Amino acid sequence: MWFENFSNKNCKQCYACIRVCPVNAIEIKNEETKIIEERCIVCDECYRACPQKHRLGKSEVPIVKHFIKNKETVVASIAPSFASVFWKYSHKIPSVLKHMGFSYVEETLVAAQPIINEYFKYINKNDNKNYITTLCPSIINLVEKHYPELIDNLIPVISAVTCHGRIIKEKYGKDVKVVFIGPCLGKKYEARFEDSIDAVITLEELKRWINQENISVDDFEETPIDAISNYNRVFPFISENTNYFYDSNKNKEVVSVDGEEDCIKTLKAMVNNRMSNVVFDMNFCQNGCLQGSGIEDDGISPYERRENIETYSKQYRDIYGDKKDNSYDEILKNVNLERKFQSKHVPLKEPSEKELKEILKSMGKFARMDEINCKACGYETCRDKAKAIYNGYADASMCVPYMRQKAENKASVILSTTPNLIGIIDKDLCVEEFNKAAQNFFQVSSEEAKGVPVIMYLDEDKFQQARDSRKKIIKDKIELPDYNGVLLQNIIWSEKDQIYIWIANDITEEVNKDKQIQEMKINSVNMAQEVINKQMMVAQEIASLLGETTAQTKVTLTKLKKLIEEEGIKQ
């Protein structure tokens, strides 16, 4: 299992880690970020760049605690850069470590001189060949995984850490547990392939462990380290080793190189045979181990860290003089200093030109002019990004300009086709933008409307009300006689963006239709009333006529009856 990866919880997909990774060893697929082990050189640039600090580093402190709990003999090999972190408390760290359960505390520097002696052999070679020092694990990873053609240029010598681990195993016994404490995350990777190192904890992890145990370093006494070196504590200093090499009668030039950019440029120059007969003392971290990947970024400058180490070193010489474990000279005879390097290069699959063009099209790159090579995705060129997609290390969605253009195009389509009137009004109540529907309604172009006070079109009091109350105004019906229209408006104040969002529906047609229907209803009622009135008049006329006829009939019948009665009497 790879000892380092990312937590995808709360990952904002900002691509900061990808942009800083010098070897494109980070993949994003299905919105998940993952470190590619076969490409990673363990430089920790990704963690430094991550604003969320979502790296899941595998700390080996629990392993060390387990050793101590099981009553194992645990020996600490501590790098000289520890004094840059613990400053005036450095002389108390041996006491603190023994309080925490370590049996012995030794300086890694006791193994430095034999390594330097081996380097002198290569510095004095007459072969016109370039060589690279092998103290920095990230440089070794960089060569083995990405510049395999330079493997023969690596000086085949173990690091001081590995040398010290082997010495400790010879001195105290094969069963003792060796724990390296230093400034470098890459040493964890180196220790995976070295039996003499049982665990590695960084200075940042040690500091955190001390705090977790509620240990007050100031309460402890100053005690000497069990094995110290007379070798100058310059390993963390850029150029100091180089200056030390100048004292020899060398046949090659010795050049110090630090920082990822200069290291990679130098390696590329070596591949292209642009230099010869040089030994490059390389440190991948800027300012070397003073700003190692295992040191907390606490704002302390490299100069201050250097001063801390120099002060500690001077005090140590004054207090302990030339204390040295001479038994190491005899032990070293049994220590193999040779190291073999091998290619760990995993070449990327190369897409055909046709496949490459299809991938580029998926990122909106239809012509060479579309390949802007902005590096926002973390890749040098758009074609490098396309190759990463082909190899399954990236998604087309990582192309920031393409996704922005795509989002803008979608937003533009929505704004231009929606029947809703939409406006963006700034905090000073001036128009920033009207969409097409709003431009048509107010009979104004976007350029003409921009910067015009909103009061020229709408009642600004409503906007101020939305801002003051922090409440949205929803479905507010307004009539605009100047534009022969009626709108149903919504006003939203965005405190975060300091803008008003105005969205309205043009309901003029509906309102006019409602008026027409209302008029039709009124007209219908009036017509019905007229019909009723006419019917009433007809009914009355009919009734009047019927009344007259009935009266006349009654009179006639009465007269007829009377005549009949009179004739009957006569008879």
Side-chain angles (χ1 to χ4, degrees):
M1 179 182 176
W2 188 239
F3 65 86
E4 183 179 32
N5 228 311
F6 291 107
S7 166
N8 286 294
K9 184 180 180 181
N10 297 326
C11 178
K12 304 303 181 183
Q13 302 289 306
C14 67
Y15 308 142
C17 55
I18 296 179
R19 282 194 292 273
V20 299
C21 180
V23 291
N24 301 127
I26 298 171
E27 67 173 298
I28 292 185
K29 291 180 66 177
N30 302 320
E31 298 186 352
E32 289 192 356
T33 309
K34 181 183 176 183
I35 293 175
I36 307 168
E37 179 179 351
E38 60 265 25
R39 296 186 64 82
C40 180
I41 61 172
V42 201
C43 64
D44 209 37
E45 289 296 322
C46 53
Y47 177 68
R48 295 177 182 179
C50 178
Q52 304 295 321
K53 303 301 180 189
H54 281 323
R55 182 189 67 188
L56 291 176
K58 185 179 178 183
S59 173
E60 296 183 10
V61 169
I63 297 175
V64 180
K65 288 182 177 180
H66 178 74
F67 293 156
I68 293 170
K69 184 178 180 180
N70 287 350
K71 307 297 183 183
E72 304 269 11
T73 299
V74 184
V75 183
S77 171
I78 191 163
S81 51
F82 88 97
S84 73
V85 173
F86 292 100
W87 188 40
K88 62 182 180 181
Y89 301 108
S90 300
H91 295 290
K92 299 186 177 186
I93 292 302
S95 296
V96 172
L97 289 173
K98 289 181 179 179
H99 171 78
M100 295 168 73
F102 286 86
S103 307
Y104 303 97
V105 179
E106 296 194 0
E107 276 190 312
T108 311
L109 275 179
V110 296
Q113 192 60 54
I115 305 303
I116 297 299
N117 291 341
E118 292 297 312
Y119 282 171
F120 279 147
K121 295 177 183 179
Y122 287 87
I123 292 170
N124 289 313
K125 280 195 171 193
N126 289 310
D127 56 5
N128 208 40
K129 185 177 177 181
N130 297 314
Y131 289 100
I132 304 168
T133 59
T134 49
L135 296 172
C136 177
S138 290
I139 292 295
I140 295 172
N141 290 334
L142 186 61
V143 172
E144 288 188 324
K145 294 184 178 184
H146 300 279
Y147 297 91
E149 56 267 69
L150 297 178
I151 285 177
D152 288 341
N153 298 90
L154 292 171
I155 297 178
V157 177
I158 59 176
S159 68
V161 174
T162 297
C163 182
H164 192 211
R166 293 178 182 181
I167 290 172
I168 290 172
K169 293 281 187 179
E170 288 289 331
K171 179 179 178 181
Y172 296 102
K174 299 295 183 182
D175 294 333
V176 302
K177 302 301 180 183
V178 178
V179 179
F180 174 65
I181 303 173
C184 181
L185 194 69
K187 290 299 181 184
K188 292 177 183 280
Y189 185 79
E190 179 181 328
R192 294 175 71 188
F193 308 99
E194 175 55 45
D195 294 336
S196 67
I197 307 296
D198 298 288
V200 174
I201 59 177
T202 65
L203 292 171
E204 181 179 1
E205 289 171 337
L206 175 60
K207 196 174 180 181
R208 190 183 307 123
W209 183 11
I210 291 172
N211 292 334
Q212 288 172 349
E213 297 291 335
N214 294 317
I215 293 174
S216 174
V217 178
D218 198 33
D219 294 338
F220 287 80
E221 293 183 358
E222 295 183 358
T223 55
I225 292 177
D226 294 305
I228 65 170
S229 170
N230 286 334
Y231 183 74
N232 191 15
R233 292 170 178 80
V234 297
F235 262 46
F237 302 165
I238 292 300
S239 79
E240 288 295 337
N241 283 333
T242 306
N243 292 337
Y244 185 74
F245 292 142
Y246 281 146
D247 294 337
S248 67
N249 184 21
K250 62 186 188 307
N251 291 323
K252 294 182 183 291
E253 183 180 3
V254 181
V255 177
S256 178
V257 184
D258 69 299
E260 67 168 82
E261 185 175 347
D262 287 346
C263 286
I264 290 174
K265 284 181 179 179
T266 302
L267 293 179
K268 288 180 178 179
M270 290 176 67
V271 169
N272 294 321
N273 297 314
R274 299 206 304 263
M275 53 190 69
S276 62
N277 208 39
V278 182
V279 172
F280 293 100
D281 182 27
M282 286 193 179
N283 286 271
F284 195 81
C285 292
Q286 192 77 40
N287 297 303
C289 298
L290 291 179
Q291 285 186 292
S293 54
I295 292 180
E296 180 186 8
D297 184 7
D298 52 8
I300 303 297
S301 69
Y303 174 79
E304 291 172 291
R305 294 198 187 283
R306 178 181 179 129
E307 286 290 301
N308 290 344
I309 294 175
E310 289 182 339
T311 300
Y312 166 77
S313 183
K314 182 178 182 304
Q315 291 173 346
Y316 208 99
R317 286 195 302 269
D318 293 343
I319 296 173
Y320 304 110
D322 294 330
K323 178 184 177 182
K324 183 182 177 183
D325 191 339
N326 293 317
S327 64
Y328 276 16
D329 295 335
E330 194 65 31
I331 293 173
L332 274 169
K333 295 177 182 179
N334 300 320
V335 175
N336 180 16
L337 301 179
E338 182 182 357
R339 179 176 178 180
K340 294 181 179 180
F341 300 101
Q342 61 182 8
S343 173
K344 297 176 183 176
H345 180 58
V346 179
L348 295 176
K349 295 181 292 183
E350 288 291 331
S352 66
E353 187 63 23
K354 182 179 179 181
E355 289 171 323
L356 192 64
K357 286 182 178 179
E358 286 301 314
I359 296 171
L360 287 168
K361 286 179 182 179
S362 73
M363 299 189 295
K365 318 295 181 187
F366 296 94
R368 277 284 186 178
M369 62 182 296
D370 297 324
E371 299 175 30
I372 60 176
N373 302 327
C374 67
K375 304 180 184 179
C377 63
Y379 291 88
E380 285 292 316
T381 68
C382 296
R383 290 180 171 248
D384 287 342
K385 163 73 177 303
K387 290 178 183 178
I389 293 174
Y390 183 78
N391 282 270
Y393 295 153
D395 288 331
S397 61
M398 291 165 56
C399 181
V400 177
Y402 168 62
M403 293 306 294
R404 180 178 178 179
Q405 183 183 26
K406 191 174 179 181
E408 287 176 349
N409 288 343
K410 286 182 178 179
S412 179
V413 169
I414 293 170
L415 288 173
S416 62
T417 58
T418 180
N420 293 332
L421 284 66
I422 300 175
I424 304 297
I425 315 301
D426 66 23
K427 61 184 178 64
D428 297 320
L429 294 173
C430 291
V431 177
E432 280 194 7
E433 185 178 352
F434 275 155
N435 76 333
K436 196 68 178 176
Q439 292 172 40
N440 292 337
F441 181 86
F442 292 115
Q443 299 175 7
V444 65
S445 69
S446 180
E447 292 75 17
E448 291 171 337
K450 189 175 179 64
V452 175
V454 75
I455 196 173
M456 298 296 291
Y457 307 105
L458 301 160
D459 181 5
E460 68 175 13
D461 291 340
K462 294 285 186 178
F463 288 85
Q464 197 63 51
Q465 177 186 335
R467 182 174 182 176
D468 293 342
S469 65
R470 297 296 192 273
K471 292 181 180 179
K472 304 172 185 177
I473 293 177
I474 305 296
K475 295 183 178 180
D476 177 39
K477 184 177 179 181
I478 58 172
E479 294 187 12
L480 299 172
D482 292 344
Y483 302 99
N484 297 316
V486 181
L487 302 179
L488 203 60
Q489 70 175 1
N490 303 291
I491 302 174
I492 303 162
W493 166 250
S494 173
E495 184 67 29
K496 178 182 177 182
D497 301 304
Q498 293 287 294
I499 59 170
Y500 297 92
I501 302 168
W502 177 75
I503 305 173
N505 294 331
D506 185 355
I507 59 172
T508 306
E509 189 175 339
E510 289 86 341
V511 169
N512 289 337
K513 283 183 179 179
D514 287 344
K515 285 181 179 179
Q516 290 176 359
I517 292 171
Q518 190 64 25
E519 288 176 1
M520 290 173 63
K521 288 180 179 178
I522 293 171
N523 290 337
S524 297
V525 170
N526 290 337
M527 288 175 65
Q529 188 63 48
E530 270 187 50
V531 171
I532 293 170
N533 291 341
K534 286 180 180 180
Q535 288 178 339
M536 288 296 293
M537 288 175 67
V538 171
Q540 287 175 1
E541 287 178 5
I542 293 171
S544 175
L545 291 170
L546 286 172
E548 289 178 4
T549 303
T550 302
Q552 289 174 357
T553 302
K554 183 179 179 182
V555 171
T556 302
L557 289 174
T558 301
K559 287 181 179 180
L560 181 60
K561 180 182 177 186
K562 187 175 180 181
L563 287 171
I564 292 171
E565 286 177 348
E566 287 178 352
E567 287 181 0
I569 293 171
K570 287 179 180 180
Q571 291 178 358

